[in-house]
Amino acid sequence: MHRSVFIVLVISVVFGTFIVLSSHHWFTLWVGLEVNTLSILPILCGGFLPRKVESSVKYFLVQSVSAAVILNVVVIQAWFSSSWLVGQPLLSVSSVLITLAVGLKLGLFPCHYWFPDVVQGVGFLEGLVLSTWQKLAPFSVLVYVINSVDIRVLVCLGVLSVLIGGWGGLNQTQVRKILAFSSVAHMGWICSTVGYSVNAGCIMLLVYVITNSSVFLIASEFDLKTLSHVGRLSYFSLGGSAGMVLGVLSLGGLPPLFGFLIKFVSLKCLLESGSILASGFLVAGSLLSLFYYLRVSFNSSLVLFPQHSLVLFGWRGLLGGNSGAVTVRGLVLCGGLSVSLLGLVSLPVFASLL
């Protein structure tokens, strides 16, 4: 792909997302979603490899179905209420359909099945975009209609997403699939919280984007496709190994890292609202997720990985070249790991934003 074409596509993806974020009309909101989807597809295809094309087609079909459901629901809503405004109260059936359509875009249960396969079929940077930036537009749609959505349905979807995200990643050896199931679980936490506190949900999404970006960038930098690759990370980069451990444990929510802080605030919002049973299931799902987070962190810190498989690394590509140069990827990576290290120290600043 030519560089100018790639730049135009990236600008279109960003432009479509900002259309959704600034829209107050259902039709322009739907147009922003479509611009965002159609612009990201050529980027996902990349070099037109069969696996990337397959993942792009899956992503296109899923996003098209979701956008079609949203458009049909808002047409029916406009028929009954004679208004295309986003803030207009929704009908009971319309709110359920909008919740399912947004859940399909976000990868929530029971519409999560496509997300791990799509992330596994594309590269690390494309998977990073799907796990972070592509969640902003549908999440903003959920925030727009949060007053008309049945909170119990949303919390149930979030709890089941956390359980499925924890259960699905237990037997995985591919790093991208582990991070995909981690994304499903984190979106469950965020959607369970946003029903009771929009500010807390938005800050949780922001912190998740930063910490998840650092893990994806480390995996992309050292081409960590499987756990056996992760087990040999400490051979040639102690800094990369320490950064991987830090980022993964922050995603797992271990104190005093920043990932623990956002889950603590989420539990506070749920318990104050009386959702004790949902909080218990969320904690249980996080324990399932913590198993494979700890497995990744143990593998990245081991000197000898307990597996008899020969894995070859491109040593010249990893250790040579501009290893001392300052790059955008390195700056983003350092920023993400610094946010992960803040932890409980940033609690006063975090609480002032709520």
Side-chain angles (χ1 to χ4, degrees):
M1 184 183 299
H2 198 270
R3 182 176 297 178
S4 59
V5 177
F6 179 76
I7 292 174
V8 170
L9 290 174
V10 171
I11 293 175
S12 299
V13 171
V14 176
F15 181 66
T17 303
F18 278 107
I19 288 177
V20 178
L21 293 176
S22 60
S23 178
H24 298 284
H25 194 277
W26 277 113
F27 184 74
T28 56
L29 187 145
W30 175 78
V31 169
L33 291 175
E34 290 301 302
V35 169
N36 180 271
T37 300
L38 294 177
S39 301
I40 198 67
L41 289 174
I43 299 176
L44 296 181
C45 287
F48 293 100
L49 299 175
R51 189 69 176 90
K52 287 190 174 183
V53 173
E54 177 188 352
S55 299
S56 302
V57 171
K58 289 180 180 179
Y59 183 75
F60 171 71
L61 293 176
V62 168
Q63 299 298 313
S64 299
V65 170
S66 176
V69 171
I70 292 176
L71 183 61
N72 283 279
V73 167
V74 299
V75 167
I76 296 172
Q77 181 70 23
W79 178 273
F80 283 99
S81 63
S82 300
S83 175
W84 285 82
L85 293 178
V86 175
Q88 189 74 20
L90 299 176
L91 302 174
S92 57
V93 178
S94 300
S95 66
V96 173
L97 291 177
I98 285 286
T99 304
L100 292 177
V102 173
L104 183 60
K105 281 185 172 292
L106 291 174
L108 291 178
F109 179 87
C111 310
H112 68 285
Y113 51 87
W114 63 273
F115 190 71
D117 288 336
V118 171
V119 173
Q120 177 62 27
V122 298
F124 279 106
L125 295 181
E126 291 87 351
L128 171 61
V129 174
L130 292 179
S131 300
T132 55
W133 182 264
Q134 291 302 103
K135 300 295 181 69
L136 298 181
F139 182 77
S140 64
V141 177
L142 181 62
V143 171
Y144 289 152
V145 300
I146 195 64
N147 294 325
S148 302
V149 170
D150 191 352
I151 304 299
R152 294 171 297 180
V153 175
L154 188 61
V155 171
C156 288
L157 293 181
V159 169
L160 291 173
S161 298
V162 172
L163 293 174
I164 293 298
W167 186 266
L170 290 179
N171 202 30
Q172 299 296 330
T173 58
Q174 301 290 327
V175 174
R176 277 172 292 188
K177 276 202 171 182
I178 290 176
L179 294 177
F181 281 108
S182 168
S183 178
V184 172
H186 275 86
M187 291 311 301
W189 272 95
I190 294 170
C191 291
S192 299
T193 308
V194 75
Y196 299 105
S197 176
V198 175
N199 291 336
C202 293
I203 296 175
M204 287 180 69
L205 179 63
L206 177 62
V207 173
Y208 164 71
V209 166
I210 295 174
T211 54
N212 193 47
S213 299
S214 63
V215 176
F216 262 102
L217 288 176
I218 291 176
S220 174
E221 185 72 23
F222 299 105
D223 198 21
L224 306 177
K225 295 180 179 178
T226 63
L227 289 181
S228 58
H229 288 82
V230 176
R232 289 157 177 80
L233 179 60
S234 59
Y235 275 118
F236 52 85
S237 177
L238 291 177
S241 175
M244 191 69 175
V245 172
L246 179 63
V248 168
L249 292 182
S250 181
L251 283 177
L254 286 182
L257 301 177
F258 210 11
F260 165 76
L261 182 59
I262 59 175
K263 290 185 178 180
F264 182 80
V265 173
S266 174
L267 287 176
K268 178 178 178 295
C269 295
L270 289 169
L271 291 175
E272 288 180 350
S273 304
S275 301
I276 300 176
L277 185 61
S279 302
F281 281 114
L282 287 174
V283 172
S286 293
L287 291 178
L288 291 175
S289 302
L290 189 61
F291 175 81
Y292 57 78
Y293 287 132
L294 289 176
R295 184 170 61 171
V296 174
S297 62
F298 286 160
N299 290 347
S300 61
S301 59
L302 287 177
V303 177
L304 294 176
F305 185 69
Q307 182 176 341
H308 300 289
S309 62
L310 180 62
V311 179
L312 299 178
F313 292 99
W315 293 86
R316 291 183 179 179
L318 290 171
L319 300 179
N322 49 349
S323 58
V326 178
T327 61
V328 176
R329 180 183 298 186
L331 293 176
V332 174
L333 183 58
C334 292
L337 294 178
S338 300
V339 169
S340 299
L341 274 173
L342 288 176
L344 299 178
V345 179
S346 60
L347 180 59
V349 178
F350 186 80
S352 65
L353 297 176
L354 297 178

